[in-house]
Amino acid sequence: MPSSPSTSPHSSSLAWPQAWRYHTFRWRLAVVLGLLLTLAALIPRFFAWVQARPGQRLPDPVLDWLPAHDVSGAAFAVIYLGIGLGVVRLLPRPLRLLRALWGYLLLHGFRCLCLWLLPLEPPRGLVLLHDPLVDRLFYAAPSPITKDLFFSGHTATLLLLTLAVPAGWPRRVLIVATALIGLLVLVQHAHYTYDVLAAVPFAALSFWLAGKVAAFRQRHA
């Protein structure tokens, strides 16, 4: 007999007790958490290398027109409130959370690849964007990291959460937060316009691929 919607491994509304019965779910959750911890351990040295490497400064008519201002406080209020909302909505939904975690891992994989392939100098008029959490945990360079540019990780992360949460008011709030953080990092001149625009297809691609990676079929727990 086919599984009922409440117990099918394909149901995004599956609760933790039911999801945990599936070995494949437990295995894929453990793998992605292990890979994310490995990434967190390795990425500070990668960012230090990115910062030390010479790059190219790109022309950007939008930033030339947009005066630079320090909006760090507003930016991080949007980022962390948006992340908090996304996490709260995903925690009770294990399959959505699993897909979001794989999407986040893939997103950072794409971002590291782009940073390796496209060395850039920061935009003119840059105002340092101080992230109290990221600066402490992921940056190991003696000077501030300003060359982690293409593509905008903050914009992409909020968009990934937008795609991952169920439809409803939280998704609408996250859409606004994504657009707002994209604007704020431009006002700060912390990213090129290209960085913010490129975050959209990379987040969408990561979420789509995560759906393939996180999906599983299993008849018995």
Side-chain angles (χ1 to χ4, degrees), residues 9-41:
H10 305 290
S11 173
S12 62
S13 61
L14 203 67
W16 277 100
Q18 289 77 38
W20 199 253
R21 292 170 52 201
Y22 292 97
H23 169 77
T24 310
F25 170 79
R26 298 194 303 268
W27 179 78
R28 295 192 182 186
L29 180 62
V31 168
V32 72
L33 290 175
L35 290 173
L36 284 169
L37 288 173
T38 302
L39 176 70

Side-chain angles (χ1 to χ4, degrees), residues 18 34 91 108 118 131 138 148 172 179 182 187:
Q18 289 77 38
L91 277 178
H108 276 280
L118 188 61
D131 184 325
F138 301 116
D148 59 331
R172 294 192 291 272
V187 170

Side-chain angles (χ1 to χ4, degrees), residues 4 9 16 50 57 59 66 70 73 82 113-114 125 133 153 158 167 188 192:
S4 66
W16 277 100
V50 166
R57 181 168 282 115
L66 189 65
D70 187 355
L113 178 63
C114 290
L133 183 61
L158 286 183
Q188 192 96 12
Y192 292 101

Side-chain angles (χ1 to χ4, degrees), residues 116-142:
W116 177 58
L117 293 174
L118 188 61
L120 295 173
E121 295 295 328
R124 290 184 176 86
L126 166 74
V127 179
L128 283 177
L129 190 63
H130 293 289
D131 184 325
L133 183 61
V134 172
D135 287 353
R136 179 169 303 209
L137 296 180
F138 301 116
Y139 289 166

Side-chain angles (χ1 to χ4, degrees), residues 51 69-80 126-139 141-146 148 154 181 184-185 188-191:
Q51 186 63 26
H69 295 284
D70 187 355
V71 291
S72 296
F76 292 116
V78 172
I79 291 166
Y80 289 115
L126 166 74
V127 179
L128 283 177
L129 190 63
H130 293 289
D131 184 325
L133 183 61
V134 172
D135 287 353
R136 179 169 303 209
L137 296 180
F138 301 116
Y139 289 166
S143 57
I145 302 293
T146 59
D148 59 331
H154 291 117
I181 195 59
L184 289 172
V185 296
Q188 192 96 12
H189 286 215
H191 276 286

Side-chain angles (χ1 to χ4, degrees), residues 34-107:
L35 290 173
L36 284 169
L37 288 173
T38 302
L39 176 70
L42 296 177
I43 209 166
R45 282 180 288 178
F46 175 74
F47 278 138
W49 174 75
V50 166
Q51 186 63 26
R53 187 177 53 158
Q56 179 182 2
R57 181 168 282 115
L58 300 178
D60 191 327
V62 173
L63 293 188
D64 290 343
W65 167 79
L66 189 65
H69 295 284
D70 187 355
V71 291
S72 296
F76 292 116
V78 172
I79 291 166
Y80 289 115
L81 287 174
I83 291 174
L85 174 61
V87 169
V88 166
R89 296 296 292 176
L90 291 173
L91 277 178
R93 298 166 173 84
L95 297 191
R96 286 183 178 272
L97 178 63
L98 180 64
R99 184 174 182 179
L101 290 172
W102 276 104
Y104 189 66
L105 178 68
L106 291 166
L107 187 69

